[in-house]
Amino acid sequence: MFCLWAAALALPNVSFAAPGLSGTVRVIDGDTLDVGGARVRLFGIDAPEADQMCTTEQGQSWACGAWVSDQVITLFAGRQAHCVPVDTDRYGRIVAQCEVRGRDMGEAIVSAGLAFAYRKYSDRYVFAEKGAAVRDVGLHASRVQNPSQFRQTRAVGRIPPDRNCKIKGNISSKGTRIFHVPGQLYYERTGIRPETGERWFCTISDAQSAGWRAAKR
């Protein structure tokens, strides 16, 4: 299960003749890259999040998201890629189809069982996914929560219910009240649980008046 499928390394050549962006690949996770300094989300595929866990057929939990990231690093990190932009997502990332030395990166990743066809946006890699499933390679040898469902579950408490009140009033395991503002290191990963006394604030002064202190990072 934890071995790359060799066929993914021998895909037929593809040609991305359209203008786009090129550069050295830095892997962020299974479907997100930096290409020449630009943040790129690979079009048409969806990989587990870096912190996502999966379950083997024997019921053992394992860090499939981190494993996928490592495999994509092995395949493509440091290589020269050419990408053709398709769209821009809500995070400001360039959504693009990318190739390395004539190999479609999305197809290679899906064929190796490292990601799934993102049918919500494209059917381009459906056959590659089916082939990986038949071979029972990579993620297909485990029980994997749909990555988009995982993100929705994880997002509970992380997205402000009022767009004008984005400051997160978090309570640490030691009972310390700390507030995080957008752009700080731990803002995105911090979830607010009102049932434990955590809350959202509209202004820094509101948070400070309520007894919360600013996060250091």
Side-chain angles (χ1 to χ4, degrees):
M1 177 180 65
F2 303 122
C3 295
L4 284 174
W5 186 252
L9 305 179
L11 293 171
N13 287 348
V14 294
S15 177
F16 290 8
L21 61 99
S22 299
T24 303
V25 173
R26 174 175 173 263
V27 175
I28 306 302
D29 59 27
D31 52 32
T32 308
L33 324 161
D34 280 346
V35 178
R39 186 59 52 90
V40 174
R41 173 66 159 83
L42 290 174
F43 172 74
I45 76 171
D46 201 15
E49 296 299 304
D51 60 345
Q52 188 168 341
M53 302 294 289
C54 298
T55 307
T56 67
E57 295 296 336
Q58 293 73 38
Q60 182 178 1
S61 180
W62 65 289
C64 58
W67 175 77
V68 164
S69 298
D70 288 343
Q71 301 308 306
V72 177
I73 287 171
T74 298
L75 283 173
F76 296 115
R79 305 288 185 88
Q80 290 295 307
H82 177 69
C83 301
V84 177
V86 175
D87 200 354
T88 301
D89 69 11
R90 61 178 177 172
Y91 303 108
R93 298 176 299 186
I94 300 168
V95 180
Q97 291 177 234
C98 299
E99 66 166 6
V100 169
R101 297 182 65 182
R103 186 192 314 163
D104 182 332
M105 294 179 69
E107 188 171 358
I109 291 168
V110 173
S111 292
L114 304 176
F116 305 99
Y118 208 168
R119 290 170 172 80
K120 179 179 179 180
Y121 298 103
S122 174
D123 293 331
R124 180 180 180 88
Y125 302 114
V126 169
F127 287 117
E129 180 189 302
K130 289 181 177 178
V134 168
R135 298 191 306 274
D136 205 29
V137 296
L139 297 170
H140 297 282
S142 279
R143 303 186 189 98
V144 184
Q145 183 181 18
N146 183 289
S148 62
Q149 292 177 346
F150 175 81
R151 288 192 295 272
Q152 290 173 5
T153 300
R154 191 180 61 177
V156 173
R158 299 189 182 195
I159 300 175
D162 183 342
R163 62 188 301 176
N164 296 314
C165 300
K166 298 180 179 180
I167 298 173
K168 297 179 177 181
N170 174 244
I171 300 177
S172 73
S173 58
K174 296 181 179 180
T176 305
R177 297 184 175 191
I178 303 170
F179 68 83
H180 303 260
V181 300
Q184 287 191 296
L185 180 61
Y186 297 110
Y187 180 84
E188 293 295 337
R189 70 180 68 176
T190 299
I192 298 304
R193 298 174 296 165
E195 69 275 10
T196 67
E198 296 177 336
R199 54 179 293 195
W200 296 90
F201 294 101
C202 301
T203 66
I204 290 176
S205 60
D206 286 344
Q208 291 173 332
S209 297
W212 265 259
R213 69 164 176 82
K216 295 178 180 179
R217 293 186 293 174

